[in-house]
Coordinates of all heavy atoms in Angstrom, one line a residue:
R108 N 133.3 115.2 104.3 CA 133.0 115.1 105.6 C 131.6 115.8 106.0 O 130.8 115.5 106.8 CB 134.1 115.7 106.6 CG 135.3 114.9 106.5 CD 136.3 115.6 107.4 NE 136.1 115.5 108.8 CZ 136.5 114.4 109.4 NH1 137.2 113.3 108.8 NH2 136.3 114.3 110.7
E109 N 131.4 117.0 105.3 CA 130.4 117.9 105.6 C 129.1 117.5 105.0 O 128.0 117.9 105.3 CB 130.8 119.3 105.1 CG 131.5 120.2 106.0 CD 131.0 120.4 107.2 OE1 129.7 120.7 107.4 OE2 131.7 120.4 108.4
V110 N 129.2 116.8 103.9 CA 128.0 116.7 103.0 C 126.8 116.0 103.7 O 125.7 116.2 103.4 CB 128.4 116.0 101.6 CG1 128.5 114.5 101.8 CG2 127.3 116.4 100.5
R111 N 127.1 115.2 104.7 CA 126.0 114.5 105.5 C 125.1 115.6 106.2 O 124.0 115.4 106.6 CB 126.5 113.5 106.5 CG 127.3 114.0 107.6 CD 128.1 113.0 108.3 NE 127.5 111.9 108.8 CZ 127.0 111.9 110.0 NH1 126.9 113.1 110.8 NH2 126.3 110.9 110.5
N112 N 125.7 116.8 106.3 CA 125.0 117.9 106.9 C 124.3 118.9 106.0 O 124.0 120.0 106.2 CB 125.9 118.8 107.8 CG 126.5 118.0 108.9 OD1 125.8 117.1 109.4 ND2 127.8 118.2 109.2
A113 N 124.3 118.4 104.7 CA 123.7 119.3 103.7 C 122.3 118.8 103.2 O 121.9 117.7 103.5 CB 124.6 119.3 102.4
A114 N 121.5 119.7 102.6 CA 120.3 119.4 101.9 C 120.5 119.9 100.5 O 121.1 120.9 100.2 CB 119.1 120.0 102.6
F115 N 119.9 119.1 99.5 CA 120.1 119.5 98.1 C 118.7 120.0 97.6 O 117.7 119.4 97.9 CB 120.5 118.3 97.2 CG 122.0 118.0 97.4 CD1 122.5 117.4 98.6 CD2 122.9 118.4 96.5 CE1 123.9 117.1 98.8 CE2 124.3 118.3 96.6 CZ 124.8 117.5 97.7
V116 N 118.8 121.0 96.8 CA 117.5 121.7 96.3 C 117.8 121.8 94.8 O 118.6 122.6 94.4 CB 117.3 123.0 96.9 CG1 116.0 123.7 96.2 CG2 117.1 122.8 98.4
L117 N 116.9 121.2 94.0 CA 117.0 121.1 92.5 C 115.9 122.0 92.0 O 114.8 121.6 92.2 CB 116.9 119.6 92.1 CG 116.7 119.4 90.6 CD1 117.8 120.0 89.8 CD2 116.6 117.9 90.4
V118 N 116.4 123.0 91.2 CA 115.2 123.8 90.6 C 114.9 123.2 89.2 O 115.7 123.2 88.3 CB 115.5 125.4 90.6 CG1 115.6 126.0 92.0 CG2 116.9 125.6 89.9
A119 N 113.7 122.8 89.1 CA 113.3 122.1 87.9 C 111.9 122.5 87.4 O 111.1 121.6 87.0 CB 113.5 120.7 88.1
G120 N 111.6 123.8 87.5 CA 110.3 124.2 87.2 C 110.3 124.7 85.7 O 109.2 125.0 85.1
G121 N 111.4 124.9 85.1 CA 111.5 125.5 83.9 C 111.2 124.3 82.7 O 111.6 123.2 82.9
L122 N 110.6 124.8 81.7 CA 110.1 123.9 80.7 C 111.2 123.7 79.6 O 111.3 122.7 78.9 CB 108.8 124.4 80.0 CG 108.1 123.4 79.2 CD1 107.7 122.2 80.0 CD2 106.7 124.1 78.8
G123 N 112.1 124.6 79.7 CA 113.3 124.5 78.8 C 112.9 124.7 77.3 O 113.1 124.0 76.4
E124 N 112.2 125.9 77.1 CA 111.8 126.3 75.7 C 112.9 126.3 74.7 O 112.8 125.9 73.6 CB 111.0 127.6 75.7 CG 109.6 127.6 76.1 CD 109.4 128.1 77.5 OE1 110.4 128.3 78.2 OE2 108.2 128.4 77.9
R125 N 114.1 126.8 75.2 CA 115.1 127.0 74.3 C 115.7 125.6 73.8 O 116.2 125.4 72.6 CB 116.4 127.6 74.9 CG 116.2 129.1 75.0 CD 117.4 129.7 75.7 NE 117.3 129.6 77.2 CZ 118.4 129.6 78.0 NH1 119.5 129.8 77.5 NH2 118.2 129.5 79.4
L126 N 115.5 124.5 74.6 CA 115.9 123.2 74.2 C 114.9 122.6 73.2 O 115.3 121.8 72.4 CB 116.2 122.3 75.4 CG 116.7 120.9 75.2 CD1 118.0 120.9 74.5 CD2 116.8 120.1 76.4
G127 N 113.7 122.9 73.5 CA 112.7 122.4 72.5 C 112.3 121.0 72.7 O 111.5 120.4 72.1
Y128 N 112.8 120.3 73.8 CA 112.5 118.9 74.0 C 111.2 118.8 74.6 O 110.7 119.6 75.5 CB 113.6 118.5 75.1 CG 113.4 117.0 75.5 CD1 113.4 115.9 74.5 CD2 113.3 116.7 76.9 CE1 113.2 114.7 75.0 CE2 113.1 115.3 77.3 CZ 113.1 114.4 76.3 OH 113.0 113.1 76.8
K129 N 110.4 117.8 74.3 CA 109.0 117.7 74.6 C 108.8 117.3 76.1 O 107.9 117.7 76.8 CB 108.2 116.7 73.7 CG 107.9 117.5 72.4 CD 106.8 116.7 71.7 CE 106.8 117.0 70.2 NZ 108.0 116.5 69.4
G130 N 109.7 116.4 76.6 CA 109.6 115.9 77.9 C 110.3 116.8 78.9 O 110.7 118.0 78.5
I131 N 110.3 116.5 80.2 CA 111.0 117.3 81.1 C 112.5 117.0 81.0 O 112.9 115.9 80.7 CB 110.5 117.0 82.6 CG1 110.5 115.6 82.9 CG2 109.2 117.6 82.9 CD1 110.4 115.1 84.4
K132 N 113.2 118.1 81.3 CA 114.7 117.9 81.1 C 115.3 116.9 82.0 O 116.4 116.4 81.7 CB 115.4 119.4 81.2 CG 114.9 120.2 80.1 CD 116.0 121.3 79.7 CE 115.9 122.5 80.7 NZ 116.9 123.5 80.4
L133 N 114.8 116.8 83.2 CA 115.3 115.8 84.2 C 115.2 114.4 83.6 O 116.0 113.5 84.0 CB 114.5 115.9 85.5 CG 114.8 117.0 86.4 CD1 113.9 117.0 87.6 CD2 116.3 117.1 86.8
A134 N 114.3 114.1 82.7 CA 114.2 112.8 82.1 C 115.2 112.5 81.0 O 115.3 111.4 80.5 CB 112.7 112.5 81.6
L135 N 115.9 113.5 80.6 CA 116.8 113.4 79.4 C 118.1 112.7 79.9 O 118.5 112.9 80.9 CB 117.1 114.8 79.0 CG 117.6 115.1 77.6 CD1 116.5 114.7 76.6 CD2 117.8 116.6 77.5
P136 N 118.5 111.7 79.0 CA 119.7 111.0 79.3 C 120.9 112.1 79.4 O 121.0 112.9 78.5 CB 120.0 110.0 78.2 CG 118.6 109.9 77.6 CD 117.9 111.1 77.8
A137 N 121.7 111.9 80.4 CA 122.9 112.8 80.4 C 123.9 112.4 79.5 O 124.7 113.1 78.9 CB 123.5 112.8 81.8
E138 N 124.0 111.0 79.3 CA 124.9 110.4 78.2 C 124.4 109.2 77.7 O 123.5 108.6 78.4 CB 126.3 110.3 78.9 CG 126.4 109.6 80.2 CD 126.3 108.1 80.2 OE1 126.6 107.6 79.2 OE2 126.1 107.6 81.2
S139 N 125.0 108.7 76.7 CA 124.3 107.6 76.0 C 124.9 106.2 76.3 O 124.4 105.2 75.9 CB 124.3 107.7 74.4 OG 124.1 109.0 74.1
T140 N 126.2 106.1 77.0 CA 126.7 104.8 77.2 C 125.8 104.0 78.2 O 125.6 102.7 77.9 CB 128.1 104.9 77.8 OG1 128.1 105.4 79.1 CG2 129.0 105.6 76.9
T141 N 125.2 104.6 79.1 CA 124.3 104.0 80.1 C 122.9 104.4 79.9 O 121.9 103.7 80.5 CB 124.7 104.2 81.5 OG1 124.6 105.5 81.7 CG2 126.2 103.8 81.7
G142 N 122.7 105.6 79.3 CA 121.3 106.1 79.1 C 120.8 106.7 80.4 O 119.6 107.0 80.6
T143 N 121.7 106.9 81.5 CA 121.3 107.4 82.8 C 120.7 108.8 82.6 O 121.3 109.7 82.0 CB 122.4 107.5 83.7 OG1 123.0 106.2 83.8 CG2 122.0 108.0 85.1

Side-chain angles (χ1 to χ4, degrees):
R108 294 178 76 84
E109 275 303 316
V110 75
R111 68 200 297 280
N112 300 321
F115 282 77
V116 178
L117 167 57
V118 291
L122 199 50
E124 278 104 345
R125 276 179 288 162
L126 182 63
Y128 175 59
K129 283 197 197 71
I131 49 166
K132 293 207 276 176
L133 285 177
L135 203 61
E138 46 82 17
S139 321
T140 64
T141 61
T143 305

